[in-house]
Amino acid sequence: MQMYVMAFLIGGLICVVGQLLMDLTPLTPAHVLVLFVVLGGVLSGLGLYQPLVDMAGAGAVVPLPGFGHALVSGTIEEIDKVGFLGVFSGALKATAVGVMAAVVFGFTMAVLFNPKG
C-alpha cells in the first residue's frame, strides 16, 4: 500500500510542478515538456533519478522526466555492454516500446476521427 501512496504523491508532485510552471511563468506546455524530459535525463545521468524511481515506482517513471531517465539509463547500460556504439543504440532500445505505442495510437486516432478545427 505504501508504494501506491508514494507513486501517487511523487507523480502528483511532478504534475503540480508542471502545472505551476505553465500557470505562473510564460512557459508553454511544449517548453515544460522539453524541460521535464531534459531534467529527467540530467538527473538520471547524475544518478539522482534512480533513487526516486526506486521509491515511487510508476509515479516517477510514467511522467515526462521518466522518459528522459529511460533515454539516459538505456544509453549508459548499452555503453557498458557494447562500448561507444551504445551511444546510438541505447536510447532507442530503452524507449522503443513507448515510442512505437505513441506512433501506432496516434495513427489509429488520426484514421478513426476527424479534427474539429
Side-chain angles (χ1 to χ4, degrees):
M1 186 65 165
Q2 181 183 3
M3 186 68 154
Y4 294 123
V5 172
M6 290 307 295
F8 176 78
L9 291 176
I10 299 298
L13 184 62
I14 291 170
C15 294
V16 164
V17 169
Q19 190 64 51
L20 288 173
L21 285 171
M22 288 187 287
D23 289 347
L24 302 176
T25 67
L27 296 175
T28 65
H31 290 116
V32 174
L33 180 144
V34 171
L35 177 69
F36 275 20
V37 171
V38 170
L39 187 62
V42 169
L43 290 175
S44 180
L46 296 173
L48 301 175
Y49 203 78
Q50 187 59 46
L52 190 63
V53 170
D54 295 339
M55 180 175 59
V61 175
V62 172
L64 290 169
F67 185 70
H69 169 67
L71 289 170
V72 171
S73 62
T75 301
I76 291 170
E77 185 178 308
E78 194 70 10
I79 288 171
D80 290 340
K81 284 183 186 175
V82 298
F84 181 73
L85 289 178
V87 170
F88 304 106
S89 62
L92 292 174
K93 284 183 180 180
T95 59
V97 172
V99 171
M100 195 61 210
V103 169
V104 168
F105 291 131
F107 177 75
T108 303
M109 295 301 119
V111 169
L112 294 177
F113 299 103
N114 292 324
K116 291 184 179 181

